[in-house]
Amino acid sequence: MTNATIQTLDTPDGPFTVLEDTEGRVLASGWTDSVDRILGRIADRHRPQHVTVGRVASAGAVDAFYDGDVEHAMQVPVRQFGTELFAEGWRQLRRIPAGTTLTYTGFAAAMGRPDAVRAAASVCARNAPALFVPCHRVLRSDGTLGGFAWGLDVKRSLLERESVGSSALV
């Protein structure tokens, strides 16, 4: 891949940066204004060679999410690189409805690998297009938030925005 566009948007959760390929697919995104941090979410061999600051096609979906249309982001095309297990995991993450969560155990089962709880956690950890592939909807077995590359405050905010109240996070 040679070219990509990057844009940083202002959101209630802080700066949100999106990297898209020339076909408008989100390669990586997250709550930072650091281009290096966003590029670091993609393996070297898959990183674009040239990144231009500009308007990304998914900007409207980000605005819609923060305006209350949380499912619009699930329609944005993404491109991720990984094994078939990871690809299936990322597909399953996009199927978790807003307002609901899965535990890592439940997520592993949804991936068709009920014994692969650690692999399920790795799928979430390696998810580059945050928000568009909602790994924030996966919680620890005890219902606590667990980890999130962009911080637990952002994860909590996203879940609350999606109508998952704090009582559901206990």
Side-chain angles (χ1 to χ4, degrees):
M1 178 178 343
T2 57
N3 297 312
T5 302
I6 198 161
Q7 181 179 4
T8 299
L9 306 157
D10 290 324
T11 76
D13 292 318
F16 183 76
T17 301
V18 181
L19 178 70
E20 288 182 0
D21 67 12
T22 55
E23 295 177 41
R25 297 175 296 189
V26 175
L27 302 172
S29 55
W31 288 266
T32 181
D33 57 4
S34 168
V35 172
D36 289 340
R37 192 161 176 217
I38 294 299
L39 289 172
R41 302 290 295 167
I42 304 169
D44 289 343
R45 69 183 177 277
H46 298 297
R47 261 185 223 146
Q49 295 171 334
H50 305 286
V51 176
T52 305
V53 174
R55 180 136 175 96
V56 294
S58 60
V62 175
D63 291 340
F65 178 88
Y66 281 101
D67 286 340
D69 180 6
V70 298
E71 284 301 324
H72 187 63
M74 296 309 101
Q75 307 311 311
V76 170
V78 298
R79 182 167 187 209
Q80 292 179 277
F81 305 94
T83 65
E84 184 50 44
L85 176 67
F86 276 80
E88 179 59 22
W90 294 322
R91 278 190 293 275
Q92 291 302 321
L93 284 171
R94 291 191 104 182
R95 292 184 177 138
I96 303 170
T100 63
T101 58
L102 286 179
T103 63
Y104 288 105
T105 303
F107 177 47
M111 290 170 45
R113 302 279 302 273
D115 296 330
V117 177
R118 286 186 182 202
S122 293
V123 166
C124 290
R126 287 197 33 216
N127 178 45
L131 183 66
F132 305 102
V133 179
C135 59
H136 62 274
R137 295 178 186 164
V138 181
L139 307 177
R140 288 184 176 156
S141 304
D142 64 3
T144 58
L145 292 179
F148 188 57
W150 309 106
L152 294 184
D153 288 342
V154 172
K155 185 172 185 171
R156 185 176 295 106
S157 174
L158 296 173
L159 292 171
E160 288 171 358
R161 201 169 288 288
E162 295 178 350
S163 300
V164 176
S166 57
S167 63
L169 302 178
V170 177

